[in-house]
Amino acid sequence: MSVNNAHMNHQKTTPIIVTDNNDKFEWHIIVTSENSSAINILEAQCLSTKVGLSKTEIKQAISKGALWLTPIKNKKQTQRLRRVKKILNIGDQLHFYFNRNVLSSAVPKALLIADLTDYSVWYKPYGMLSQGSKWSDHCTIARFAQTNLPDERPAFIVHRLDRAATGLILIAHTKKAARALSAMFEHHALEKTYHIIVHGNHNNKVQPEIIEMPIDGKKSRSTFTCLAYDQARDQSLIEVKIDSGRKHQIRIHAASIGMPVVGDRLHGKATEDEAQNLQLCAVSLRFNCPLLAKGSPVVNKEYFFELPETLTPHL
């Protein structure tokens, strides 16, 4: 994953930033000597700035994605660096983003649904991120997949689920697969089904209910079908299919009909004290594999993945 180069070009001239308690800071260091490694440079920086990080703490931060490298030979290619002993070139730039709170975050456990070699299918739990930040990527589904599959294959995100949402997500393991799967999502060449629990009785609506309220000025369409209603809690279980993929589309459309998703602290009526997590889950994926099988002219092999009922929302 790359960081915007303009951002890095600005940051490299920024002085070292250190908070009073050294719990959050960032360093931007230009390599000035030969045969230098990242770990040696950061250790020296800790000594010179009196930042009390041990070598073990530095290594742990690096393993969690806190270190980036902008090579002198290609300044447009800033990437995370995890090889602490890699010998750097004079002129290379290291960017070390340390945030103790972020780095101490526990990693939720994802569940492998299917390993198809070039890509895999996972259940993403509540609290797991689809994409990391400059501070780390250790709580992301991509990093979890990379470190929990054989051979530590590369992992590429081709679509996203909100941090608060759960459900099925695809991870690509080759650039070819990433391009093919991304194109499949871009052209809506797959069927995604979600289950949500909302406040109110959706049975009172025409079934199925089609919602076409634009989001951020762009066309969007969701189809809501009520599966069950719990009168005691005044909540409905709804199946949702979307024909577009706008940010927070399901949550916005649910709120627009006066039936926000349970646990939605952003678009609904849940507060920060709400005990229940967001009740939105991607429960199934159906698509034709966009990759050519080796030695075979057959292109369209259909896959259907569905979560076990124990992982889906229940009234």
Side-chain angles (χ1 to χ4, degrees):
M1 180 172 57
S2 298
V3 162
N4 182 277
N5 196 58
H7 168 74
M8 283 302 184
N9 285 340
H10 169 72
Q11 291 287 358
K12 73 181 181 182
T13 61
T14 302
I16 295 168
I17 301 170
V18 185
T19 61
D20 292 338
N21 57 11
N22 294 336
D23 280 342
K24 182 179 178 181
F25 59 86
E26 55 187 77
W27 291 336
H28 305 279
I29 306 166
I30 297 178
V31 178
T32 58
S33 58
E34 295 181 348
N35 298 318
S36 298
S37 66
I39 189 65
N40 291 337
I41 289 173
L42 293 179
E43 278 191 287
Q45 190 78 354
C46 283
L47 289 173
S48 65
T49 58
K50 294 183 170 58
V51 171
L53 290 183
S54 67
K55 186 173 185 178
T56 297
E57 287 177 311
I58 296 171
K59 285 184 175 181
Q60 288 175 344
I62 292 173
S63 71
K64 292 180 178 180
L67 182 64
W68 298 75
L69 170 66
T70 303
I72 184 65
K73 295 180 180 179
N74 186 359
K75 291 187 176 182
K76 294 182 179 179
Q77 193 65 34
T78 298
Q79 294 182 322
R80 293 191 202 272
L81 176 64
R82 301 187 206 271
R83 293 167 54 200
V84 297
K85 295 182 179 180
K86 175 182 170 67
I87 300 301
L88 304 173
N89 296 313
I90 293 176
D92 285 351
Q93 297 175 44
L94 290 177
H95 311 278
F96 186 58
Y97 299 96
F98 186 86
N99 186 324
R100 195 177 299 278
N101 286 337
V102 171
L103 293 171
S104 63
S105 298
V107 182
K109 301 297 182 184
L111 176 66
L112 178 63
I113 303 298
D115 183 356
L116 303 171
T117 306
D118 290 322
Y119 57 98
S120 53
V121 187
W122 295 80
Y123 167 73
K124 187 196 84 66
Y126 176 85
M128 178 169 270
L129 301 168
S130 291
Q131 190 170 8
S133 67
K134 68 181 183 180
W135 304 102
S136 87
D137 66 350
H138 73 291
C139 288
T140 66
I141 181 65
R143 183 61 179 162
F144 188 92
Q146 185 177 19
T147 56
N148 285 275
L149 285 173
D151 306 322
E152 277 214 26
R153 279 167 270 169
F156 305 96
I157 289 292
V158 295
H159 67 122
R160 293 171 177 80
L161 284 175
D162 294 342
R163 176 184 178 276
T166 62
L168 294 172
I169 190 167
L170 297 180
I171 303 294
H173 301 300
T174 66
K175 291 183 178 180
K176 178 182 177 181
R179 288 191 296 268
L181 292 171
S182 295
M184 182 178 72
F185 278 93
E186 182 180 351
H187 295 100
H188 310 293
L190 76 165
E191 182 181 281
K192 294 179 286 184
T193 304
Y194 299 82
H195 283 181
I196 59 175
I197 295 177
V198 302
H199 294 282
N201 185 359
H202 192 263
N203 277 324
N204 293 330
K205 303 279 189 176
V206 174
Q207 300 294 320
E209 180 180 18
I210 297 174
I211 304 169
E212 296 183 299
M213 186 187 80
I215 296 176
D216 295 331
K218 298 179 180 178
K219 292 181 179 179
S220 58
R221 176 186 169 102
S222 304
T223 301
F224 285 19
T225 304
C226 189
L227 301 178
Y229 173 64
D230 185 322
Q231 186 172 5
R233 286 188 283 180
D234 189 29
Q235 294 178 355
S236 299
L237 175 64
I238 296 176
E239 178 185 271
V240 182
K241 294 189 177 181
I242 59 174
D243 297 333
S244 51
R246 310 303 178 200
K247 186 176 181 180
H248 295 173
Q249 176 176 324
I250 295 174
R251 297 161 70 176
I252 293 172
H253 278 178
S256 75
I257 61 172
M259 294 183 173
V261 178
V262 172
D264 191 346
R265 295 166 178 81
L266 184 60
H267 302 287
K269 57 185 181 182
T271 65
E272 290 300 323
D273 298 328
E274 173 73 54
Q276 196 162 16
N277 294 336
L278 181 74
Q279 297 300 294
L280 188 158
C281 181
V283 298
S284 71
L285 289 172
R286 186 189 301 274
F287 59 92
N288 290 326
C289 177
L291 299 176
L292 279 168
K294 288 184 179 179
S296 170
V298 178
V299 179
N300 295 326
K301 179 177 181 179
E302 185 178 85
Y303 283 117
F304 177 69
F305 298 102
E306 186 174 36
L307 281 181
E309 190 176 350
T310 54
L311 295 176
T312 65
H314 289 82
L315 287 174

